Structure formats: C-alpha cells, structure tokens
C-alpha cells in the first residue's frame, strides 16, 4: 500500500514530521517498507529561456540561452518544438539525474554545439506521459526556485506492508485513523453528504447470485465531460505507480486508494438494457480493460447486460463498456463481493488488480453507499453532469460483532498494566463501541474491522496503540533443576534419519505436499477425501500418499539440465486419509543413474554401475538403524507396493505384522506415469511405526556374545517350494534354539530339474555360540535335528541329501 505524505494529511490533521510518522506506523503494526523522499527532484530549478536560435547544423534543434536564476546564463541545445525565448520551464544542470530517461547529465556536444544541461518535459520528470514539448510554466513562475516545490513533486511517498487481516488500512483514511488513535494528530471527518438525484436511475440491476454479491449500488450521471484528470490527482496516482487514464477512471482509482472502496464506471451508452449479477456460463468470454480476453467458468461472478458479461465482478471491468473521451453518460457502480470467490477467480484467471486486493480481504460494507456518494461528488466537480437517484439492491445491512472483553486480559496475555480507562479510550479512538466500565465490557467492532473475532484480537488492538515497547522485558524463570527432554522421540528420529542419509551421499530435498492426481493414483492415493477443494495450481490437486513422486520429479528436473546421477532424500509427512491419524512421518529417498554409494558419474571403462534394489535396501536399513530400529530382528519379504518392480523390491518388517518400510527399483509403468527415465531405485521407511524405546532405567546386563567358548558353524541345504521366501526359512532356523543360534546366512540358491518342478534348494550357514560349556557331538546332532524339524514345520522343506 503506497500513499503520499500530502495525501495522508488530507485525512489527518497533524504537525508530525515524516520521520515521526514512519516510526509510528511501524510501531502500530503498519510496517513501513520504503520511503521515497523525492530527493532526486531537488536539483531541478525553474529557469527562463532568454534566447532561442536555430542550430547551425540541424533543422529541428535550437540553441537556447537559459537563466536559472543565478545570474550566469548557460547554453542548452534543445529539440522541443515549443522552445522559444521567454518560456519558463524546468531546467536540469550537468550532474543531474533525470529519472524519466534514467540518465545522469553531463556537458556534451550536439552537432558540434556544447550543451550545458537540458530543459525537461513532463515525461522526463515522470509527471505524465507528455513529451511533445518541454514544460511551459506561467510567466510569473519564480525563476531560480526549486521546481519540485512549485509543481508538488517534493511529496514523499510511503509504502507499508499490510497483513491480510487489516483490510481497513487499504485506504489512506484507515491509515490516518490508526495514526490518530496513536496520538499523532486528529482524524478529519469524512464529510460525505448525500447528493439529491434528478429522477430514478433508468438502469435496473438484478442479483441472481446473492451468495456472491451481498449488495449492489449504482447511479447514472448524465452529461459528463470526460477528459484528463486535474494535475494534483495525476501526480498522486503517478507517485504510487498508477498511470492516469481519464478523469472518470482516475476518480475510481483515487477513491480506491483514498478510502479503500473499489468502484467501477460503465459508459451508459455501451450498456444494453438492465444489469444482472450472475454466475458466468462455462466458456463465456470477456475482453478485459487490460486488452486480454478471459474465458470464464460457472464458478465466477460477472456483471452482465443483455449482450453478455461487462465486468468480472470485483476484479476488472470490460473493455467494451469502458469509459473514454467520448463518454457523456456514466454508470457508477459500488458493490459488495464474496471475498473467497474474488480470490479464487483472480487466481484462476491470473489477474492481479487493486480492486481484487481489497475485495478478497474484505471491504467496509457500510461504506458501499457513502463511497458511491463520494465518487458522484468528485464526478460532478471534475466532469460536471446531472446525477439520478441512487439505486441499492440486495443489501440488508451489516451485523457488527460484539465481544465480551475482560480488561484483565491485557495483562494476562501481554504482562503490561494498561488501565481499563485507557484500554477503553484506545478502542473508542479506533472506532470500537465500548459498553460497560466495570471489569468486563461489551465491545462492538466497527464495520471496517471484519478481522475481530475474540478478546485476544482486542488485546492486540490495545497493545499496538499503547506501544509494544512499553512491555517490560523479563528474564525466564529458573526452575532450579535440569530441564527434561526437549525433543520428542519423532523429532530425534527425524534428525537421526537425515544425518544417516546425508552421510550416505544423498542430498536433502524439500518437495510440495501436493501432487498431480495421476501421480497420487500411481502411488496408492487419489481418494476424494485427499483432493484439495481449492488447489494453488491445477497440477497440485491431491495430498501426497508418498514422498517418492516429488523426489522422482525433482530427480528428472535435474536430469533435464544435465545432472542425471542424483541421490535425494526427504523426511516429511505423507497422507493416507483426511483424519489426524491419517498422516505418517516418513523418510524416503531415491537414487538415479549411477548415483550409488561408491560414487556417481562416468567410469573410465564405460561400465559404471547403475543403481539397483540393493542400493535402496542399504539406504533403508541405514535409516532404520539410525532411528534405533533393531536391525538384527528385521525381516525382508516380498509384497512391496505396486509402484516397485515385483521381482526387485521388498518389505521390511518387525515381527509378522509391523511393516517398517519398503524398497526396490521403480516399476517402468510407474516411471512412465511420472515421465521419469531410469534406472531409478527408492525406499520409504515409516518413522512413526517404530516401537517407542523403553524409558525406565535398567541395569546393565552382560553381553552374551562375549562367550569364552568357541563358536561353531554348520551348513544346511533345504529343498522347499519355489514360492517359499528365504527369510521364512531363516526365521525357522533361528527359532529352533534362540539361545544357541546367533545368526543365519543364506549363501546358495539352486533350482534345477533334479529337484523337481516348482522346487528349489536354499543353503544356509548357521552360527552356533555356546555360552556355558563346550558343545559335544551329541549336542550338535540334537540341535541339527531341531533345526530340520523347525524348517519342515514352518516351510515344508526337507533336508537335501
């Protein structure tokens, strides 16, 4: 939000300096982002042309003698057609920066004649777009004085950053109200008087979408003369970055920034029949005032006549009904629009306007009609004409919110002692109605403060005007003891997983929680409950069911710019349902190309190893181990999700039911959906699926693996059905005697006709560690028998002869 100092003083009676005003604005929550004090205009002075002679070597140039008021006339070469002896204008001496042409002047020669500065046009001083000639001032303009002061160019521009909850300060009047409440002056009254109309407005309006338009006011002004707006208005609009167009359009912009009340003007001669506020029909088009054609949908609100849409409600008017120099009858519109609908329409169409900025935050509903009266008065003053009566449709009045406000809340929430009387005074100066002078008052928010919801909001209002600097700093209380654990188990595991994966050469990525619907469906998502009702982009419509789609897309973007060998990881949330329990904490990662743990890139022999299932498995187990999972008790089985290659993937489980993660090479079908080229492998582990660690202290137990007795290994080969997992056989062997069997390793797999169809041989090495005595041959034979029996019972396998 930008405004000039003089504009502010039109609404605020104050003697405060610019520095005092900017300091106060920041202290009351309207943070000043920039101040342009117009120092660049200080070097320009009012000068008189003494002589004007034709340039000896150029027909269109003149050699001027210019008096800048210092008694030392200088020579200036000028090409302006209106340059003449006796003209008074704006002079820039050598060394002056001219903003309109972005140039610092120096003494130079033009066609062999020296020029010591220049006489400036309005465009060169950014006063307007006029550049057909140099500035021509009245004969009595004071020569030698600063031109900026004479022309009003020394008016500082202040820019503040507004938070979305302060729609009341999208106009200069609202900012002045806050400064007056802070003690920096007195707010000037609006002084808006109703204007009597000559007969009823001949144009009627019908509201077919009352949920999108709570109220609509308009009136017709006949016989206007539309031309350029006055210089003072143009200067203020230019100062805040707006281009003056014509008086009627400039008035709407001036009211928008001055009072936070967006308006629109229609050329009545270009409106066919009456107006109707309705939802657009899918596919309807409108040519906007910016010269672009927009295609509307059924969710968008429009003001239409018998021909079709004439305005995109609350955002932009149409070119076909716009006002220009031929306009003689004008329809002035002041309406209320649904903020959510305006925001969504503007985003879908990609339109950012000053009207949208205000309507999507919420304008003062009670200022709809006064804003129309204000604009009508300015039209009559600047353009003339005869107004009709005002026509108001649909508006049922505004119900202000009342909050029970205990004055003690100020101290409870801020620690500052503010007397009830002072709190009351502050709120009333801000426009609140305070009833009750006891411990609790009923406070009614004004119509321009839709952000006030509860007593905490009122405390904020009191403290920002009272001054947050008046809150005394206090040290934190000492508890006299060592504090307990600060981080939760999940936070500790998150940090550990990130460190472990980074140590394995992977780069951390942060991807969007929203992904395209097709990507979500490819990874088990796509449920209606996880589709966004108001996505920020068409390709971000679903909450992600997995981290892998975002990581794969990031890897492909890197590959597209020449970085194909990448290893990325992320630790974040995924979404399985729309309930609070449906979010999971997941650590996931992918490797692409040759980005293995041993290195990435081209090999000298041309045979660099591509990533594969075992790279993903190692990453997953490393992350689980860092999170404290009992890796020696984990099992790897088939059954990974469909987005992995069925023969090159696996599930990681703790016990028969607790799935801790999955890994593998990505299925070619999945990569095709995401438009990703391989080879790619990936994994995901579920941090929140790990059992909580024991918190009570336990006594140290002796390590059983430090036995004084010699360990023994025995090899077994079992013939089992081809669909029996090696992990199931390992568990059966380990379960035969959990005290003696300390490890089971698969070292051979054989399939052949000699074993029969659908059969295979799995050979394992069993580590046996006695703890209390040396095992005898009889002990080993008995253990072998138990191992064979356990395998036969669990898998149906037989000892291979």
């Amino acid at each position: 939000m930008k405004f000039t100092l003089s504009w502010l003083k039109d609404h605020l009676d104050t003697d405060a300096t610019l520095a005092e005003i900017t300091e106060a604005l920041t202290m009351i929550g309207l943070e000043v982002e920039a101040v342009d004090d117009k120092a660049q205009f200080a070097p320009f002075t009012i000068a008189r042309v003494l002589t004007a002679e034709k340039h000896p070597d150029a027909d269109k140039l003149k050699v001027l003698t210019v008096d800048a008021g210092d008694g030392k006339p200088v020579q200036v070469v000028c090409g302006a057609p209106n340059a003449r002896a006796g003209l008074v204008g704006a002079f820039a001496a050598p060394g002056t920066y001219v903003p309109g042409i972005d140039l610092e002047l120096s003494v130079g020669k033009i066609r062999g004649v020296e020029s010591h500065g220049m006489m400036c046009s309005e465009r060169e001083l950014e006063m307007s777009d006029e550049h057909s000639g140099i500035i021509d001032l009245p004969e009595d303009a004071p020569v030698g004085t600063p031109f900026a002061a004479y022309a009003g160019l020394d008016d500082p521009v202040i820019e503040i950053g507004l938070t979305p909850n302060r729609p009341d300060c999208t106009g200069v009047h609202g900012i002045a109200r806050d400064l007056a409440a802070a003690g920096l002056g007195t707010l000037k009254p609006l002084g808006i008087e109703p204007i009597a109309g000559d007969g009823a407005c001949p144009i009627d309006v019908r509201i077919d979408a009352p949920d999108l338009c709570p109220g609509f006011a308009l009136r017709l002004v006949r016989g206007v003369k539309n031309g350029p707006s006055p210089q003072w208005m143009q200067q203020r609009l230019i100062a805040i970055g707006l281009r003056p167009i014509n008086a009627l359009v400039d008035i709407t912009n001036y009211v928008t920034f001055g009072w936070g009340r967006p308006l629109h003007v229609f050329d009545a001669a270009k409106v066919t029949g009456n107006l109707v506020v309705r939802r657009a029909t899918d596919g309807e088009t409108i040519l906007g005032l910016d010269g672009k054609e927009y295609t509307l949908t059924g969710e968008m609100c429009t003001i239409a006549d018998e021909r079709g849409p004439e305005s995109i409600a609350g955002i932009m008017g149409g070119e076909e009904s716009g006002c220009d120099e031929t306009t003689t009858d004008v329809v002035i519109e002041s309406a209320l629009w649904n903020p959510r609908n305006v925001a969504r329409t503007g985003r879908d169409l990609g339109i950012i306007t000053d009207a949208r900025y205000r309507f999507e935050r919420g304008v003062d509903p009670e200022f709809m009609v006064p804003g129309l009266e204000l604009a009508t008065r300015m039209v009559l003053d600047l353009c003339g004409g005869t107004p009709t009566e005002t026509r108001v449709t649909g508006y049922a009045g505004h119900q202000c919110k009342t909050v029970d406000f205990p004055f003690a809340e100020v101290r409870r929430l801020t620690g500052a002692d503010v007397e009830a009387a002072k709190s009351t005074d502050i709120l009333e100066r801000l426009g609140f109605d305070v009833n009750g002078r006891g411990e609790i008052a009923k406070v009614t928010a004004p119509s321009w403060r839709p952000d006030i919801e509860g007593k905490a909001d009122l405390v904020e209002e009191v403290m920002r005007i009272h001054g947050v600097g008046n809150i005394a700093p206090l040290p934190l209380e000492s508890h006299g003891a060592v504090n307990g654990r600060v981080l939760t188990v999940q936070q500790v595991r998150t940090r550990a997983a990130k460190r472990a994966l980074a140590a394995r050469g992977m780069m951390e990525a942060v991807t969007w929680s929203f992904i395209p619907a097709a990507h979500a469906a490819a990874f088990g998502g796509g449920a209606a409950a996880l589709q966004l009702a108001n996505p920020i982009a068409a390709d971000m419509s679903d909450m992600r069911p997995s981290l892998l789609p975002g990581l794969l897309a990031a890897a492909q973007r890197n590959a597209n710019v020449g970085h194909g060998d990448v290893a990325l990881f992320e630790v974040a949330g995924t979404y399985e349902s729309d309930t609070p329990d449906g979010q999971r904490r997941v650590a996931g990662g992918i490797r692409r190309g040759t980005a293995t743990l041993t290195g990435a890139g081209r090999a000298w022999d041309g045979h660099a190893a591509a990533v594969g299932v075992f790279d993903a498995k190692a990453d997953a187990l490393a992350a689980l181990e860092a999170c404290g999972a009992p890796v020696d008790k984990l099992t790897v089985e088939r059954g990974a999700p469909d987005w992995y290659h069925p023969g090159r993937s696996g599930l990681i489980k703790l016990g028969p039911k607790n799935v801790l993660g999955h890994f593998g090479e990505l299925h070619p079908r999945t990569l095709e959906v995401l438009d990703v080229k391989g080879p790619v492998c990936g994994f995901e582990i579920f941090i929140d699926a790990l059992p909580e660690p024991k918190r009570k202290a336990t006594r140290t137990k002796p390590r059983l693996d430090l036995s004084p007795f010699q360990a023994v290994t025995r090899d077994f080969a079992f013939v089992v059905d081809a669909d029996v997992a090696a992990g199931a056989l390992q568990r059966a062997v380990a379960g035969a005697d959990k005290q003696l069997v300390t490890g089971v390793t698969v070292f051979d797999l054989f399939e052949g006709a000699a074993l029969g169809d659908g059969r295979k041989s799995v050979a394992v090495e069993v580590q046996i560690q006695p703890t209390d005595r040396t095992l005898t041959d009889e002990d080993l034979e008995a253990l072998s028998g138990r191992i064979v029996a356990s395998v036969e019972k669990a898998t149906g396998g037989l000892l291979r002869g």
Side-chain angles (χ1 to χ4, degrees):
M1 173 64 190
K2 289 183 178 180
F3 56 94
T4 68
L5 182 60
S6 67
W7 201 343
L8 176 67
K9 291 187 176 182
D10 282 352
H11 298 264
L12 181 69
D13 187 2
T14 180
D15 294 327
T17 64
L18 176 63
E20 291 171 338
I21 289 173
T22 55
E23 174 68 16
L25 285 170
T26 298
M27 293 307 295
I28 62 177
L30 306 177
E31 183 178 0
V32 175
E33 294 186 340
V35 176
D36 182 2
D37 60 5
K38 299 298 182 181
Q40 72 268 29
F41 292 116
F44 296 92
T45 57
I46 297 176
R48 185 186 304 274
V49 178
L50 301 177
T51 63
E53 304 292 337
K54 181 179 175 300
H55 192 288
D57 294 322
D59 292 338
K60 295 184 179 181
L61 297 180
K62 296 179 181 178
V63 180
L64 312 179
T65 303
V66 176
D67 176 17
D70 57 0
K72 300 176 182 178
V74 295
Q75 180 173 276
V76 174
V77 177
C78 179
N82 66 330
R84 67 185 188 278
L87 179 143
V88 179
F91 172 69
T96 301
Y97 173 76
V98 183
I101 57 176
D102 191 23
L103 177 69
E104 183 174 322
L105 299 179
S106 60
V107 177
K109 285 188 177 182
I110 302 177
R111 295 287 186 94
V113 178
E114 277 194 352
S115 181
H116 297 261
M118 69 181 295
M119 298 295 290
C120 303
S121 67
E122 290 189 359
R123 188 174 71 171
E124 287 157 349
L125 293 182
E126 295 184 336
M127 295 174 61
S128 71
D129 289 333
E130 177 61 41
H131 63 286
S132 59
I134 57 178
I135 295 172
D136 192 348
L137 299 178
E139 184 72 20
D140 58 353
V143 174
T145 61
F147 175 74
Y150 179 85
L153 297 181
D154 58 347
D155 194 5
V157 177
I158 304 170
E159 181 177 4
I160 62 173
L162 282 181
T163 51
N165 67 321
R166 293 305 307 276
D168 58 306
C169 288
T170 57
V172 181
H173 189 79
I175 298 169
R177 182 193 300 115
D178 267 21
L179 287 171
L184 241 68
T186 304
L187 181 67
K188 295 181 180 180
L190 287 171
I192 300 175
E193 296 293 337
I195 298 174
D198 182 10
C201 180
I203 299 177
D204 197 4
V205 60
R206 186 179 78 251
I207 300 177
D208 288 349
D211 56 323
L212 303 184
C213 179
F216 196 104
L218 79 161
R219 81 189 313 163
L220 175 68
V221 182
R222 297 185 178 94
V224 300
K225 184 177 180 181
N226 191 21
S229 57
Q231 192 68 27
W232 62 266
M233 181 179 288
Q234 291 192 36
Q235 287 177 355
R236 285 185 176 175
L237 295 178
I238 292 172
I240 62 174
L242 296 181
R243 180 175 63 88
I245 299 174
N246 56 57
L248 292 174
V249 175
D250 291 354
I251 286 170
T252 64
N253 288 330
Y254 193 77
V255 174
T256 296
F257 278 84
W259 291 267
R261 173 67 250 186
L263 305 163
H264 185 61
V265 287
F266 299 89
D267 189 327
K270 301 174 183 177
V271 175
T272 304
N274 294 320
L275 298 177
V276 57
V277 178
R278 59 172 173 82
R279 283 180 166 83
T281 303
D282 282 333
E284 274 189 313
T285 60
I286 181 174
L287 181 65
L289 286 171
D290 59 355
K292 298 179 181 179
E293 185 174 83
Y294 296 97
T295 301
L296 309 180
T297 69
E299 295 300 318
M300 299 175 181
C301 187
T302 181
I303 305 174
D305 62 5
E306 294 178 0
R307 294 179 303 172
E310 296 291 354
S311 174
I312 306 172
I315 298 176
M316 180 182 289
E319 177 72 24
E320 294 183 0
S321 60
C323 294
D324 53 29
E325 65 278 359
T326 65
T327 300
T328 57
D329 296 343
V330 60
V331 178
I332 309 174
E333 166 255 307
S334 176
L336 299 175
W337 307 108
N338 182 294
R340 291 179 179 271
N341 184 262
V342 170
R344 182 166 185 172
T345 300
R347 188 204 63 207
D348 290 347
L349 296 178
I351 305 176
I352 300 175
T353 62
D354 296 316
R356 174 194 167 185
Y357 179 84
R358 286 156 178 80
F359 279 123
E360 67 185 5
R361 284 161 172 77
V363 301
D364 181 4
E366 292 291 277
F367 198 68
M368 179 181 72
V369 174
L372 180 61
E373 300 286 355
L374 176 64
T376 303
R377 171 51 59 196
M378 296 186 73
V379 169
L380 297 179
D381 290 345
L382 301 182
C383 303
T386 303
T388 66
E389 296 174 355
T390 298
R391 186 184 294 275
V392 180
T393 305
Y395 185 59
H398 175 69
Q399 185 65 41
C400 295
K401 186 175 183 63
T402 298
V403 178
D404 289 334
F405 181 50
F407 292 106
E409 282 293 284
V410 176
R411 176 168 179 77
R412 187 181 73 84
L413 294 180
T414 68
D417 284 315
V418 182
E419 297 178 354
K422 183 169 184 179
S423 296
T424 299
D425 181 53
I426 289 173
L427 292 173
E428 288 179 340
R429 279 184 280 151
L430 288 170
F432 292 81
D433 184 18
V434 183
N435 292 316
R437 295 297 188 267
E439 295 181 356
I440 301 177
K442 287 189 176 296
V443 179
T444 302
S447 58
W448 58 81
R449 292 304 301 271
D451 58 303
I452 302 299
E453 294 291 338
K455 53 189 179 182
D457 296 321
L458 299 177
V459 171
E460 180 182 356
E461 292 301 299
V462 171
M463 285 312 304
R464 70 184 184 87
I465 301 300
H466 175 69
V468 293
N470 294 323
I471 301 177
L474 296 174
L476 292 174
E477 295 183 10
S478 174
H479 298 287
V482 177
N483 290 331
R485 183 176 60 187
V486 176
L487 300 180
T488 64
V489 172
Q490 189 173 111
Q491 289 172 329
V492 171
R493 288 174 173 171
T494 296
R495 291 187 174 190
K498 288 182 177 182
R499 289 194 181 102
L501 295 174
R504 293 180 61 80
M506 305 183 80
M507 301 291 291
E508 184 177 7
V510 179
T511 64
W512 290 100
S513 297
F514 322 121
I515 60 176
H519 295 186
F523 284 82
L530 294 178
Q531 293 175 352
L532 300 179
N534 190 23
I536 61 175
D539 58 350
M540 292 185 176
S541 60
D542 288 55
M543 302 298 292
R544 62 183 177 194
S546 165
L547 298 180
L548 296 182
L551 293 173
L552 289 168
Q556 187 60 43
R557 287 194 296 271
N558 277 272
N560 292 340
V561 294
H563 304 289
D565 303 308
V566 294
L568 305 175
F569 78 89
E570 183 173 10
V571 184
T574 61
Y575 305 87
E576 297 178 351
S577 70
D578 59 345
T579 64
D581 295 334
Q583 182 174 347
R584 307 207 67 175
R585 191 68 177 174
V586 179
I590 60 102
R591 292 182 185 270
R592 185 188 185 281
T594 62
T596 61
L597 183 60
T598 57
R602 300 166 63 184
W604 65 271
D605 58 357
H607 298 287
V611 296
V613 59
F614 294 109
D615 296 302
K617 178 183 177 182
D619 290 333
L621 292 177
L624 285 169
E625 184 176 19
C627 291
V631 178
D632 57 327
K633 294 183 174 63
L634 302 181
T635 58
V636 178
E637 301 179 2
R638 295 174 180 170
D642 294 341
W643 51 87
Y644 292 109
H645 192 293
R648 302 173 189 169
S649 58
L651 284 177
I652 303 175
K653 300 174 71 175
L654 178 61
K657 296 182 178 180
N658 190 7
V659 178
L660 298 187
H662 39 70
F663 63 89
E665 298 178 21
L666 275 297
H667 199 290
R669 181 178 62 248
T670 305
L671 297 180
E672 183 178 355
V673 172
L674 272 68
D675 195 21
V676 174
K677 296 178 175 58
V680 183
C681 67
F683 73 92
E684 286 185 290
I685 65 166
F686 309 123
I687 294 176
D688 50 8
L690 289 168
E692 290 282 338
K694 295 181 180 179
R695 296 190 177 182
K696 64 179 183 179
T698 57
R699 294 182 180 179
T700 303
K701 298 179 180 179
R703 290 184 60 184
L704 299 180
D705 57 342
L706 299 178
S707 173
F709 301 101
Q710 180 67 39
V712 182
T713 61
R714 287 289 185 269
D715 294 344
F716 297 85
F718 294 96
V719 179
V720 296
D721 291 338
D723 60 351
V724 174
L729 190 146
Q730 286 179 288
R731 289 195 298 273
V733 172
D737 192 319
K738 295 182 179 180
Q739 295 295 326
L740 291 177
V741 177
T742 58
V744 183
T745 306
V746 177
F747 68 87
D748 184 57
L749 176 68
F750 172 74
E751 293 178 316
L755 299 177
D757 292 338
R759 305 282 282 176
K760 65 181 178 182
S761 172
V762 181
V764 296
E765 179 186 75
V766 182
Q767 292 82 42
I768 304 168
Q769 177 63 67
T771 58
D772 55 355
R773 61 186 177 85
T774 301
L775 298 180
T776 64
D777 289 341
E778 291 77 10
D779 295 330
L780 293 174
E781 287 299 326
L783 176 60
S784 298
R786 293 196 297 275
I787 290 174
V788 172
S790 178
V791 171
E792 183 176 2
K793 180 179 179 181
T795 67
L798 300 176
L799 189 66
R800 184 178 177 185

